[in-house]
Amino acid sequence: MGSNQSNTTKATGSTREWVEFEDDWFSQGVSRYAYKGTFHGNARTEGERCVVKVYKDEYLVHLKDYAWKVDDRVYRKAREMAQLFNTRCEPSTAIEFVAPEFTKVDKRATFYFLGFIPFERNVKGKLAGTQDSVSNIIPANASVAVERFLKGQYIKFSSNTGYVNPDHPAPTLAAFSHFTYHQSNGEFLVSDLQGVYNKRGYSLTDPAIQNGGLELNVYGPTDLGKYGIVKFFQTHDCNDWCKRLKKPKISRATPTDQVVLENVLRNMPSTRSSSTYTYQLHRESGFSNNAVKQVQSSLKLDAVAE
C-alpha cells in the first residue's frame, strides 16, 4: 500500500558519497540536532556509521551559510593546533579532531501512499517526548555536518567554563588547551574537549574556541571570549607539557570592567560539564549584554611567560 523515503543528504565534498540518517535525533545543542546515519555511494565507506548534525532553522534564519562556515573554521584551527602539539610536544597519546564534511539535506522522511502520494512522517519534536512533522524539525535544504562515528566510550573531558572531568582528567588534553593559547600568542584558546580515547589516542569532536580579540561569538555560540580564557586558567593545573608556555595577564581593566568580569566568572560554573553559550554570560550574571560585550572589547589580556 505504500513505501517509505528516509532522510538523506546530498553528496559530500567532491565525491558521490551521501548519507542516509534516522528520523529521530539522539542529541541536540543550541544550533544543531544530531542523528545516527550511514554512508552510501563510496565503496570505501559503504555502510559505515556516521553522525549527521542538522542545523536548526531558527539558527540558520539569522546566520544562513555563515553557521557552517564558522564551525568549519573552528575545526580547521583545532586540527592545525593538534598537529602542532603532536609534533612539538610528542605526547604518547596523539590528539586528532574528526574532520566533518558539510553538505545539504536532500530528501526528508516521507511515506508514499499507493507508492506516489506523499505524506510527511512525524518525527521526534524539538523537545524529547514530543512529535512534529519532519519539515518543522529538518528545514528544506538545511545545512548539515557529517562526521564519522567515533567508536568507544564517548567522554566529555572538559567544558568551555573550566570544567575538568574528575574521572578522566586527561592531562594531555589540558596541556593541549594551554598550548593553543601559547601558540596563538593569546589570540584564542581551544577548549570544550570531548570524544573518545583508544589505542590511537584521542579522537575529538565539537571543540569550542575562545576568542582573545575584541568580540564575543566570533567562533560560534560557545565562544565565551576572554571570559572563557580567564576561566580556563582559573581551574587549569599546569603539568610538565606546560613549562614555559604563556599565560594571560590582565594589563588593562577599568574598575567597572573588573566588577563585570568577576561577576560573570563567578556565574560560569566550572562544575558543569555541558557547554555554556555566549548569551548565558549576561543572563546568569545579571549584567546587560552590552556591559558583557564592553568588557570583551576593552579588557586587555597579555600572553606572558612566567
Side-chain angles (χ1 to χ4, degrees), residues 78-138:
R79 289 201 303 273
E80 177 188 354
M81 284 290 150
Q83 290 166 359
L84 283 172
F85 181 77
N86 292 337
T87 300
R88 296 185 182 181
C89 298
E90 298 182 334
S92 57
T93 49
I95 298 170
E96 69 157 353
F97 285 89
V98 178
E101 292 282 357
F102 296 94
T103 184
K104 300 275 190 179
V105 168
D106 185 18
K107 297 176 182 177
R108 294 176 291 186
T110 304
F111 175 74
Y112 286 92
F113 181 65
L114 298 178
F116 66 93
I117 303 174
F119 290 92
E120 284 190 350
R121 291 214 296 267
N122 280 340
V123 298
K124 183 187 287 188
K126 295 182 179 181
L127 299 175
T130 65
Q131 291 277 304
D132 206 339
S133 64
V134 66
S135 62
N136 287 335
I137 303 300
I138 303 176

Side-chain angles (χ1 to χ4, degrees), residues 21 31-33 35 52-56 105 138-139 142-144:
F21 60 100
S31 61
R32 301 178 299 188
Y33 295 109
Y35 296 82
V52 180
K53 298 175 180 178
V54 179
Y55 288 86
K56 296 180 179 180
V105 168
I138 303 176
S143 295
V144 301

Side-chain angles (χ1 to χ4, degrees), residues 6 75 243 273:
S6 300
Y75 276 105
K243 291 177 180 177
S273 62

Side-chain angles (χ1 to χ4, degrees), residues 9 60 69 77 85 87 97 105 116 132 140 144 151 154 158 171 206 237 265 270 274 284-285:
T9 72
L60 287 174
K69 289 178 181 177
K77 281 188 175 291
F85 181 77
T87 300
F97 285 89
V105 168
F116 66 93
D132 206 339
V144 301
K151 298 178 182 178
Y154 192 90
S158 65
D206 276 347
D237 290 325
L265 293 176
S270 58
S274 59
E284 297 184 359
S285 67

Side-chain angles (χ1 to χ4, degrees), residues 74 160 189-194 206-210 219 222-223 275:
V74 169
N160 59 343
L189 181 144
V190 180
S191 62
D192 214 8
L193 304 180
Q194 54 205 302
D206 276 347
I209 290 184
Q210 314 304 310
Y219 294 102
T222 54
D223 174 9
S275 302

Side-chain angles (χ1 to χ4, degrees), residues 57 72 127 202 214 230 246 262:
D57 191 39
D72 186 44
L127 299 175
Y202 293 99
L214 300 178
V230 174
K246 298 174 184 176
E262 289 175 359

Side-chain angles (χ1 to χ4, degrees), residues 30-31 55 59 63 66-74 160 207-211 215-225 276-279 281:
V30 70
S31 61
Y55 288 86
Y59 191 64
L63 299 178
Y66 179 71
W68 73 261
K69 289 178 181 177
V70 168
D71 285 346
D72 186 44
R73 184 165 49 149
V74 169
N160 59 343
I209 290 184
Q210 314 304 310
N211 179 37
E215 297 180 22
L216 291 165
N217 219 31
V218 169
Y219 294 102
T222 54
D223 174 9
L224 308 181
T276 295
Y277 300 102
T278 308
Y279 72 86
L281 296 181

